[in-house]
Amino acid sequence: MCQVGEDYGDPAPEVPLPPRPGLQSRERKCVKCKEGLPMVVIRAGDAFCRDCFKAFYVHKFRAVLGKNRLIFPGEKVLLAWSGGPSSSSMVWQVLEGLSRDSAKRLRFVPGVVYVDEGAACGQSLEDRAKTLAEMKLILQTVGFPWHIVALEEVFSLPPSVLRCFTQEPSGTKGAYKAAVDSFLQQQHAPPQGEEQPSQSGTQDLQSPAVLPTAAQTEAQPPTAAQTEALSRLFDSVKTLTAKEELLQTLRTHLILHVARTHGYSKVMMGDSCTRLAIKLMTNLALGRGAFLAWDTGFSDERHGDVVVVRPMRDHTLKEVAFYNRLFAVPSVFTPAIDTKAPEKASIHRLMEAFMLRLQAQFPSVVSTVYRTSEKLVKAPRDSSADGPPGARCLLCMCTLDIDTADSATAFGAQTSHLSPTQPPTPPAEAPTTPCCSAGVGRAQGCCRGAGPCGRGDPRARVIEQLCYGCRVNMKDLPSLDPLPPYILTEAQLRSQRAWALQEMQEYLVEDSDDEAQTGDT
């Protein structure tokens, strides 16, 4: 439209330009002490100086441990260290918390475990040796007892690693306070004539230098057969999503075995707030929504005698990066199984890119998802699962979330691995030889029949002992032969135990209602 001759009034008055961001940041002071010059901006308006940021960071770590009160004085705690920023910062927090200069010293006995995953990630022997040398140098500087294990050791794990052992109740807050008072009395007790023997699991933690160094264990280098078997296992998996889930499962089993072997009752993971938010969304996409409280909460008691805790869950990746940079926290970069993978290569990579992109545009996304995870309750399932009471998944060791064969969840999990054009395989006929009889070419006590050892198909015997999420991932593994022996052995033992219980139920005499009421009175 033509605007000639139109009168728009007087021109707008000149407004002074806003000050440049550089000049404004120079005049800004720390939001905590109001004196120091800010060096770190965590969020909009939250500028901290160096000392205040360190106090803020350390307080977060101590507050999480103090609020939950799960780690008792003198308890052995295993720190799962991968060499990354979050786990390295966690180890550094524990190291500073045990020093004499700490205001409120930590009172547990730490140890560090590192799992070498180079074979699963395609690293050469030279690169793996170089990474291990860097890891050992940092571990020797820290001074904690350390344990280095290779991922190939999963082929020598016992089947008992997949069993949940009962745990004694930790007690109430009064019990925790009594344990702290008893520990302090032992630490400050004056010597009486001769030196008193120290109690088991309790050591003098005046400084990290007095921690035992004889517990440093390094497993023997894996054999070529074990490395080849591990490579064959991961090469047989079709998708990167299933590879990442399998790697996480095997890593957890190995850390659990190390903790039980060396007497650790707690395991600390270095999962940050950002990583847990991504994990929550990823597990929802993988069909593990029933176990979000265990997978993302502060504590995970699914293993019974060993409890997994996540003390870094209040720290974002941005805070971790700033802290490691300002205070020179050493870390080692190790390529992961999804390194250099495209964004849509797996559900994990896609969800990570989605969350980080949203976080860049809306800074409160990660905190909102994280706060949602804190509201999840670890409630047991009321419905009876298909199997014995308390049946757990063979891989993730969570309670089975598939009820009956008629439910939609069970139908989807059982038929997702079948091709739409391929007819189902007919059931195998019963063998002519007696069940569980040792024969030529067979393992002792195994028949591969319809008896206690199997139900015609070994794959079906394993699949029925998995939760929905693990069943979906297992469909990307065409054959079960590359799996570690301890998984197949435990699956066979569970099938035999379930068959024996089913046979025994036929000979048990159930009490009537009148007899049950009489017994109760």
Side-chain angles (χ1 to χ4, degrees):
M1 297 176 61
C2 181
Q3 300 178 356
V4 176
E6 295 185 5
D7 186 11
Y8 291 99
D10 298 335
E14 296 183 359
V15 179
L17 296 177
R20 296 175 57 184
L23 298 177
Q24 186 178 6
S25 61
R26 295 174 187 174
E27 298 176 357
R28 185 185 303 177
K29 298 296 182 180
C30 175
V31 296
K32 185 69 175 178
C33 63
K34 309 298 183 180
E35 297 178 357
L37 294 178
M39 298 187 63
V40 175
V41 179
I42 301 176
R43 292 176 297 271
D46 292 346
F48 291 90
C49 63
R50 178 187 176 93
D51 296 335
C52 292
F53 174 69
K54 182 177 182 180
F56 166 78
Y57 193 90
V58 173
H59 174 72
K60 270 190 174 184
F61 184 83
R62 302 288 184 85
V64 171
L65 296 179
K67 179 177 64 175
N68 294 273
R69 294 188 175 184
L70 288 179
I71 302 178
F72 279 57
E75 198 170 13
K76 298 185 66 175
V77 179
L78 185 63
L79 311 179
W81 182 52
S82 63
S86 297
S87 59
S88 300
S89 182
M90 178 186 67
V91 173
W92 221 251
Q93 289 298 306
V94 175
L95 178 64
E96 293 184 352
L98 294 174
S99 62
R100 297 190 181 189
D101 300 335
S102 178
K104 296 181 179 179
R105 291 174 46 245
L106 302 177
R107 301 185 180 95
F108 55 83
V109 182
V112 182
V113 60
Y114 170 71
V115 180
D116 180 15
E117 305 171 359
C121 301
Q123 282 187 293
S124 61
L125 295 178
E126 293 77 9
D127 294 340
R128 296 178 64 181
K130 181 180 178 180
T131 302
L132 286 179
E134 297 179 4
M135 294 290 184
K136 292 179 183 178
L137 183 61
I138 296 178
L139 291 174
Q140 292 173 0
T141 304
V142 172
F144 292 160
W146 47 267
H147 314 276
I148 296 180
V149 291
L151 190 62
E152 290 89 333
E153 293 188 25
V154 295
F155 289 93
S156 59
L157 290 181
S160 60
V161 75
L162 298 177
R163 299 168 191 169
C164 178
F165 297 94
T166 57
Q167 179 190 13
E168 297 181 359
S170 56
T172 59
K173 296 182 179 179
Y176 179 84
K177 187 177 183 302
V180 172
D181 295 339
S182 176
F183 180 82
L184 294 178
Q185 292 178 2
Q186 295 175 5
Q187 291 292 99
H188 300 287
Q192 299 179 358
E194 59 183 6
E195 184 179 358
Q196 297 180 355
S198 59
Q199 297 183 0
S200 60
T202 303
Q203 300 176 5
D204 187 11
L205 299 179
Q206 295 296 329
S207 64
V210 300
L211 291 172
T213 57
Q216 299 175 357
T217 59
E218 181 180 359
Q220 297 294 331
T223 61
Q226 291 178 338
T227 305
E228 183 181 357
L230 187 65
S231 301
R232 191 186 315 115
L233 171 62
F234 281 91
D235 291 341
S236 62
V237 181
K238 297 180 180 179
T239 61
L240 182 60
T241 300
K243 288 182 180 180
E244 294 188 32
E245 288 294 311
L246 179 62
L247 177 60
Q248 180 180 354
T249 300
L250 297 181
R251 184 197 307 123
T252 303
H253 293 171
L254 197 56
I255 294 176
L256 178 63
H257 176 69
V258 173
R260 287 175 174 172
T261 303
H262 297 278
Y264 294 95
S265 57
K266 299 290 189 303
V267 174
M268 276 190 180
M269 297 291 185
D271 297 327
S272 62
C273 171
T274 309
R275 187 58 54 190
L276 289 178
I278 297 174
K279 188 176 183 180
L280 184 142
M281 301 299 296
T282 303
N283 287 1
L284 281 176
L286 293 175
R288 295 187 55 85
F291 315 123
L292 290 179
W294 283 268
D295 294 336
T296 61
F298 173 77
S299 61
D300 184 359
E301 304 90 357
R302 75 181 71 179
H303 307 294
D305 57 337
V306 178
V307 180
V308 177
V309 295
R310 302 178 179 93
M312 298 293 296
R313 65 190 312 264
D314 283 348
H315 299 79
T316 62
L317 284 179
K318 184 177 181 180
E319 297 172 357
V320 172
F322 280 147
Y323 184 86
N324 294 354
R325 175 70 175 177
L326 290 177
F327 300 98
V329 177
S331 61
V332 179
F333 171 75
T334 55
I337 196 172
D338 60 344
T339 301
K340 295 184 178 181
E343 180 179 313
K344 299 181 181 180
S346 66
I347 296 180
H348 302 78
R349 291 283 295 112
L350 182 62
M351 198 61 65
E352 179 182 3
F354 171 72
M355 290 292 297
L356 295 181
R357 191 180 298 112
L358 274 182
Q359 176 68 14
Q361 299 176 1
F362 308 97
S364 61
V365 169
V366 169
S367 60
T368 302
V369 176
Y370 167 73
R371 297 302 175 187
T372 304
S373 67
E374 289 185 333
K375 301 176 183 179
L376 301 176
V377 181
K378 301 175 183 177
R381 292 176 55 85
D382 298 332
S383 57
S384 59
D386 187 11
R392 295 179 176 269
C393 177
L394 185 65
L395 294 181
C396 67
M397 300 180 67
C398 288
T399 306
L400 290 180
D401 57 346
I402 296 180
D403 298 327
T404 60
D406 297 333
S407 64
T409 305
F411 179 79
Q414 293 174 359
T415 59
S416 59
H417 66 280
L418 298 177
S419 173
T421 59
Q422 180 182 3
T425 304
E429 299 180 357
T432 56
T433 57
C435 185
C436 290
S437 60
V440 180
R442 297 174 181 167
Q444 185 177 2
C446 181
C447 64
R448 296 184 182 179
C453 295
R455 298 181 181 178
D457 186 11
R459 184 180 182 86
R461 181 176 67 241
V462 175
I463 292 297
E464 68 181 1
Q465 301 180 25
L466 301 179
C467 63
Y468 175 76
C470 294
R471 290 189 184 191
V472 174
N473 292 324
M474 192 58 63
K475 71 178 182 180
D476 294 326
L477 185 63
S479 176
L480 300 180
D481 295 336
L483 286 176
Y486 74 98
I487 297 179
L488 302 177
T489 303
E490 180 64 18
Q492 178 179 340
L493 292 176
R494 291 187 182 185
S495 298
Q496 293 177 356
R497 193 179 300 112
W499 182 85
L501 291 176
Q502 184 178 2
E503 292 293 324
M504 291 173 57
Q505 291 293 334
E506 300 179 0
Y507 301 97
L508 296 179
V509 179
E510 297 182 358
D511 296 337
S512 61
D513 297 339
D514 297 338
E515 294 178 352
Q517 293 178 0
T518 304
D520 295 339
T521 55

